[in-house]
Amino acid sequence: MQLFERIAPLRAALKAHRLAGETIGVVPTMGYLHAGHLKLVERAVAESDRVVVTIFVNPTQFGPNEDLDAYPRDLESDLKQLADFPVDCVFAPPVDEMYGRPMQAFVDVKPLGDILIGEVRPGHFRGVATVVTKLFNIVQPDRAYFGEKDYQQLTIIRRMVADLEMPIEIVAVPTVREADGLALSSRNVRLSPKDRAASTVLSAALDEGERLVTMGERDPHVVLSTMRALIEAEPRAGLQSLDLRDAATLDAIDRISDRPVALLVTANFGEVLLIDQRVAARKSRSAQTGECP
Ligand code: AMP
């Protein structure tokens, strides 16, 4: 496994692999790796000849009052964890390598990037889409791996790749959770013990929302108000957003049909913003009742 901090030597190394006809998979991360990230790496090494993991806490996706400086970093531990896998390249550039001059070109996926989390974090997804495009242009991967946990991000990247004809397959990896349901996140280490205990309310509310959708509830308001009541019963949870959307487009819907829906939640526990999601679909009538179809 080779560590690169600069673009040119990484490009040179990858060119040799590409010329040898090998496929390249990329796993973009902000580091402070945990088992959720490693699941993406595991998928990438299973499916691609060469794997690049990028580690970059991207300043342009953080707002002025957000937690850029507090975002946890530990490159040494990241490299140790990655050494357990046949990862070929780790790209961990300093900020000046990625943003050496003031940027004038950006990638903006609208309106997808302005809704939901984009409303709470204006400019966030422009930063994400722009840095992912830069990473794609540096690595030129065949496949790129993203977690379902950041569901809106995944949807935006898929749309960006489709609209801009980027020849990259986007692979979605299901959310990895703690035994009590909390979605793994680099931010979890900043939760106080009391907030950590309270944070399980998010996955519990998603479980309940999923159950209602699966059993055939058609009214999004019923699903959302049940979930909201559960979350608001936990005084340590500062609910920021709770939505039920079409899972493919993130369009708002008046009535739940047979198409899968995405349940999306963001909430603060102390200073820490947690996000979680669930994709749910109505079960067929026979599956609901246990009858033979
Ligand atoms: P981050 O370092 O938070 O930017 O995450 C890098 C990638 O790992 C993103 O595609 C995330 O969606 C994914 N990821 C983060 N947490 C998890 C998790 N608990 N399960 C699966 N994927 C995750």
Side-chain angles (χ1 to χ4, degrees):
M1 185 172 85
Q2 249 186 305
L3 173 65
F4 296 86
E5 294 188 335
R6 301 288 162 193
I7 295 168
L10 174 68
R11 277 203 168 128
L14 292 174
K15 190 172 180 185
H17 295 313
R18 213 172 290 111
L19 286 175
E22 294 173 330
T23 59
I24 297 171
V26 69
V27 181
T29 81
M30 297 206 296
Y32 212 75
L33 301 181
H34 52 63
H37 297 113
L38 297 179
K39 197 57 149 183
L40 273 59
V41 173
E42 204 181 294
R43 266 299 277 282
V45 299
E47 295 176 358
S48 299
D49 297 322
R50 300 287 170 176
V51 170
V52 183
V53 176
T54 70
I55 297 177
F56 181 60
V57 182
N58 173 39
T60 67
Q61 70 191 65
F62 288 80
N65 300 316
E66 293 183 354
D67 58 351
L68 173 63
D69 293 335
Y71 198 88
R73 295 160 167 89
D74 189 344
L75 183 60
E76 209 176 302
S77 152
D78 291 346
L79 295 176
K80 232 188 237 162
Q81 294 185 66
L82 291 173
D84 292 341
F85 295 85
V87 166
D88 299 276
C89 308
V90 177
F91 180 51
V95 171
D96 69 355
E97 183 70 358
M98 295 296 280
Y99 299 108
R101 58 196 167 271
M103 295 273 290
Q104 296 199 25
F106 297 91
V107 181
D108 221 343
V109 184
K110 282 164 168 279
L112 258 181
D114 290 339
I115 59 171
L116 302 165
I117 290 175
E119 239 173 277
V120 188
R121 305 183 69 185
H124 170 67
F125 287 117
R126 183 172 99 146
V128 170
T130 302
V131 81
V132 169
T133 299
K134 284 167 79 85
L135 293 170
F136 283 177
N137 285 335
I138 293 165
V139 175
Q140 296 179 40
D142 299 281
R143 292 188 199 89
Y145 295 81
F146 291 87
E148 283 183 356
K149 181 175 90 73
D150 300 286
Y151 195 79
Q152 187 174 0
Q153 169 175 286
L154 169 67
T155 310
I156 286 170
I157 300 295
R158 279 187 163 143
R159 186 63 191 240
M160 174 184 91
V161 163
D163 284 0
L164 299 181
E165 311 295 350
M166 295 180 177
I168 299 167
E169 181 191 343
I170 302 301
V171 181
V173 178
T175 303
V176 179
R177 298 175 182 280
E178 300 280 5
D180 64 7
L182 175 66
L184 297 189
S185 162
S186 308
R187 292 189 164 100
N188 293 354
V189 291
R190 292 170 49 217
L191 292 167
S192 72
K194 282 187 176 156
D195 285 334
R196 169 66 187 82
S199 65
T200 54
V201 71
L202 299 186
S203 58
L206 289 166
D207 287 345
E208 181 57 15
E210 180 182 16
R211 193 186 67 79
L212 290 171
V213 172
T214 307
M215 296 314 288
E217 179 56 60
R218 296 284 196 181
D219 185 349
H221 298 292
V222 171
V223 178
L224 291 171
S225 57
T226 307
M227 293 176 68
R228 182 177 295 275
L230 282 171
I231 296 168
E232 287 179 349
E234 171 48 68
R236 305 190 80 85
L239 186 58
Q240 297 287 327
S241 66
L242 179 62
D243 296 276
L244 186 156
R245 298 287 172 111
D246 182 274
T249 61
L250 297 187
D251 287 340
I253 47 179
D254 295 334
R255 203 160 162 71
I256 301 168
S257 69
D258 291 340
R259 286 168 62 86
V261 296
L263 302 166
L264 306 166
V265 63
T266 63
N268 271 101
F269 291 81
E271 298 279 281
V272 184
L273 181 69
L274 296 184
I275 94 173
D276 204 352
Q277 58 67 232
R278 190 69 53 84
V279 175
R282 189 167 185 267
K283 264 195 198 155
S284 66
R285 255 201 101 58
S286 54
Q288 279 175 41
T289 58
E291 287 165 10
C292 293

